[in-house]
Amino acid sequence: MTMTKQGQQGQELDAGAMAALQGLEDGRSSVRLRAALAVGTAPDPRFVDKLVERSAVEPEFFVRDMLTWALTRHPVSVILPALLREVGSERAQARSQALHTLSKIGDRRAWPAITRALLSDGDDEVARSAWRTAVVLVPEGEESGLATVLATQLGRGERETQLSLSRALVALGEVVLPVLRAATTAPDRLVRTHAFATERLLRDPDAGFEFAIEEAKRVVALGGDGQEGR
């Protein structure tokens, strides 16, 4: 985006606003962080596109988090259309950050944008953001359908990705039990293990994921059904 002294609505930006917007492009992360804080402290709809644009490329986690906060300080009616456009971006970070911000807003009008394609996105970070956002936005009565889609991702990725999926499934509650039980008989050993571990976490949230995974590995190795000790 080319910055000028004119806002999107033709209104002139004051020097402080211009400095904040320019600060978002600074090479120093500390300056970008302060700029995002400044924009969020004095929200203006004319800042939204720049905040969304920067979120798509910002390399530093803490700055991205501040950008998200700054966006949530603006009216939902202004930021929602921009975020919904962004979830269809070709850039993985753009999709991930837009989804993350949607989860913070919690406006269920965004639910139709949480597609099966996003829930099974090839980029783990995007998929994880989609799982978290879906659990926040899912309308009452559609939890079972969401659980069915999420269960197709069991066994995916490294431990952090698997933990994210387990947390999303557990957050849906008892409605996930049928799909988890079905997954415990899947041909794929990783899927079975992840399903058993997630079911354990649902029954005992304090068990911890590492413990649940190790226990699930033993169950799968012994050919058990996970019912032992219930």
Side-chain angles (χ1 to χ4, degrees), residues 134-223:
V135 169
V136 172
L137 301 181
V138 62
E140 186 175 353
E142 295 192 34
E143 295 90 350
S144 180
L146 175 58
T148 298
V149 177
L150 292 181
T152 65
Q153 304 300 298
L154 286 166
R156 169 180 175 166
E158 300 299 325
R159 197 58 55 91
E160 188 176 12
T161 298
Q162 293 185 7
L163 173 57
S164 290
L165 181 60
S166 290
R167 284 174 171 166
L169 285 163
V170 168
L172 292 174
E174 297 288 323
V175 71
V176 305
L177 279 173
V179 295
L180 289 179
R181 293 309 301 167
T184 61
T185 63
D188 190 311
R189 184 187 187 95
L190 289 175
V191 172
R192 297 199 305 275
T193 301
H194 196 182
F196 277 127
T198 304
E199 187 179 3
R200 175 58 191 266
L201 287 177
L202 181 64
R203 290 187 283 113
D204 181 10
D206 295 327
F209 189 67
E210 292 298 326
F211 176 82
I213 281 287
E214 292 307 314
E215 181 183 74
K217 286 179 179 178
R218 289 193 293 272
V219 170
V220 170
L222 294 172

Side-chain angles (χ1 to χ4, degrees), residues 42-61:
D44 185 315
R46 294 172 294 173
F47 297 161
V48 168
D49 283 349
K50 186 60 185 177
L51 290 170
V52 171
E53 177 187 297
R54 186 64 208 176
S55 296
V57 297
E58 172 56 50
E60 297 294 333
F61 170 79

Side-chain angles (χ1 to χ4, degrees), residues 14 22 31 72 76 90 99-100 114 128 130 144 148 150 156 165 170 179 182 205 211 216 218 225 230:
D14 61 32
Q22 290 169 346
V31 174
T72 63
V76 174
E90 294 183 359
L99 287 164
H100 175 64
I114 312 303
R128 291 172 60 200
S144 180
T148 298
L150 292 181
R156 169 180 175 166
L165 181 60
V170 168
V179 295
F211 176 82
R218 289 193 293 272
D225 61 3
R230 292 189 184 184

Side-chain angles (χ1 to χ4, degrees), residues 83-145:
L83 294 173
L84 293 179
R85 289 193 299 270
E86 201 75 349
V87 297
S89 171
E90 294 183 359
R91 185 188 294 271
Q93 184 173 307
R95 299 195 300 276
S96 176
Q97 285 301 119
L99 287 164
H100 175 64
T101 306
L102 287 172
S103 75
K104 296 298 183 182
I105 297 168
D107 191 307
R108 285 183 169 171
R109 287 176 294 178
W111 169 247
I114 312 303
T115 62
R116 181 182 287 263
L118 282 173
L119 294 169
S120 58
D121 196 282
D123 185 278
D124 283 348
E125 192 57 41
V126 175
R128 291 172 60 200
S129 294
W131 302 337
R132 292 190 294 266
T133 306
V135 169
V136 172
L137 301 181
V138 62
E140 186 175 353
E142 295 192 34
E143 295 90 350
S144 180

Side-chain angles (χ1 to χ4, degrees), residues 14-29:
D14 61 32
M18 280 298 298
L21 289 177
Q22 290 169 346
L24 293 175
E25 301 287 352
D26 196 277
R28 296 160 294 179
S29 61

